[in-house]
Amino acid sequence: MSTLTAATRSTRAELMRLRAWPAVWITLGAWLVLSIMFGYLFTYLSYTSGDASFADEGTTQAEQLARMLPDAVPNVFLQGMPMFGGALMMVLGALVAGNGYGWGTWKTLFAQGVRRTPALLGSVTALTAVVLATLVVTIGLDLGISLVITASESQDIVMPSFGSVAEAFGAGFLVLEMWALLGFLLGTLARGPALSVGLGLVWALVVENLLRGVGQLLGWVENLTEVLPGTSAGSLIGSIVGVGAGDGTPGVLDTVPGGRAAITVGIYLVLAVVASIVLVRRRDVA
């Protein structure tokens, strides 16, 4: 059996497992709730009540309304991804890989003669499919909410350009895929979900923020933070939405140029897959 055929079969099997796994739906549901809350709910409450504490202070009602209309969907779609979306995708990736050890799935597969590389590639491909589905549902939901608001406020419908949607979708995919695959790598390293999820969340939500704070005092730490995954993801999103448009949204940065940030994210993405394959091939799974 060729590697491609084996990987395809593994992908199908993994997709069936993920589709029936409640943790996947809970994780994706949590992301959609957060996306709606920070993308539309708080802004809408501020707009309707006139209370700026729900949104960025100093913004007018006209500016708040403009942020909720269809042509602003690409920016709304992206703003929560560096921090909240990335953390949840890392959790999902860690669960996908880690539970393969905790439940004995990998051990059973390899004992039946399934080759390790195609099996892992199938799992990674299935995880990627979940990331893509998440992006499609998110942008569709954002567009639907914005159209409802547009109709309720009697505004003209101005759809976002295809180029802006494609750019946002591509950047969102790079960011969420990187975090998902880094979580997968952590799950492979830890051989279980609990430790890998904990380590991933501490790194994404705490360690990088502390390092960026220290970097303002120590030059070498500042240089280090410029190549960290969170800084790169935040800078990639910031280069599209603008840091000013992301005020109050954690993780949106302008630390490095967008092109450099995209390359760094892509490198992390590839390294995570390669490192996971090497680990699975070179050590005992039990």
Side-chain angles (χ1 to χ4, degrees):
M1 184 186 302
S2 68
T3 299
L4 179 60
T5 301
T8 300
R9 291 184 177 181
S10 178
T11 301
R12 291 174 180 172
E14 189 71 1
L15 283 173
M16 292 180 63
R17 180 174 78 94
L18 295 180
R19 186 177 60 185
W21 193 14
V24 173
W25 298 104
I26 292 172
T27 302
L28 299 185
W31 159 244
L32 292 177
V33 170
L34 289 172
S35 179
I36 294 171
M37 286 177 58
F38 290 100
Y40 292 99
L41 180 60
F42 292 155
T43 305
Y44 188 75
L45 290 174
S46 180
Y47 170 72
T48 55
S49 68
D51 185 354
S53 63
F54 287 109
D56 297 338
E57 294 186 5
T59 57
T60 65
Q61 284 189 310
E63 290 171 335
Q64 292 164 4
L65 178 59
R67 294 181 182 182
M68 298 184 289
L69 299 181
D71 61 338
V73 164
N75 284 0
V76 175
F77 169 72
L78 287 174
Q79 285 180 12
M81 289 187 181
M83 181 67 72
F84 305 114
L88 288 170
M89 288 300 108
M90 177 176 278
V91 168
L92 182 61
L95 289 174
V96 169
N99 278 327
Y101 293 93
W103 295 346
T105 305
W106 294 123
K107 183 177 180 180
T108 302
L109 283 174
F110 301 151
Q112 293 176 349
V114 178
R115 288 183 294 169
R116 298 190 177 198
T117 299
L120 188 134
L121 288 176
S123 186
V124 167
T125 303
L127 180 60
T128 301
V130 172
V131 171
L132 286 170
T134 301
L135 291 167
V136 171
V137 172
T138 302
I139 201 166
L141 182 62
D142 287 347
L143 184 58
I145 293 173
S146 69
L147 288 172
V148 170
I149 294 174
T150 300
S152 67
E153 297 298 325
S154 302
Q155 299 292 309
D156 294 332
I157 297 177
V158 180
M159 300 298 289
S161 67
F162 176 80
S164 65
V165 172
E167 181 183 44
F169 194 92
F173 173 75
L174 283 176
V175 169
L176 294 192
E177 179 76 350
M178 178 195 72
W179 284 119
L181 293 179
L182 288 176
F184 192 94
L185 174 59
L186 284 175
T188 305
L189 281 168
R191 302 193 190 193
L195 178 60
S196 55
V197 168
L199 290 174
L201 289 177
V202 168
W203 177 268
L205 301 179
V206 179
V207 174
E208 285 208 31
N209 287 323
L210 288 176
L211 287 175
R212 282 195 287 269
V214 174
Q216 298 175 3
L217 303 175
L218 299 175
W220 70 269
V221 176
E222 184 176 12
N223 293 333
L224 173 63
T225 60
E226 290 182 358
V227 297
L228 295 179
T231 301
S232 299
S235 297
L236 175 58
I237 300 304
S239 70
I240 297 174
V241 307
V243 173
D247 286 345
T249 303
V252 179
L253 307 170
D254 60 355
T255 306
V256 297
R260 176 181 163 188
I263 293 172
T264 305
V265 169
I267 290 173
Y268 275 113
L269 193 154
V270 173
L271 288 178
V273 176
V274 172
S276 297
I277 292 174
V278 171
L279 283 170
V280 170
R281 287 178 61 91
R282 289 181 175 271
R283 71 182 185 183
D284 187 8
V285 178

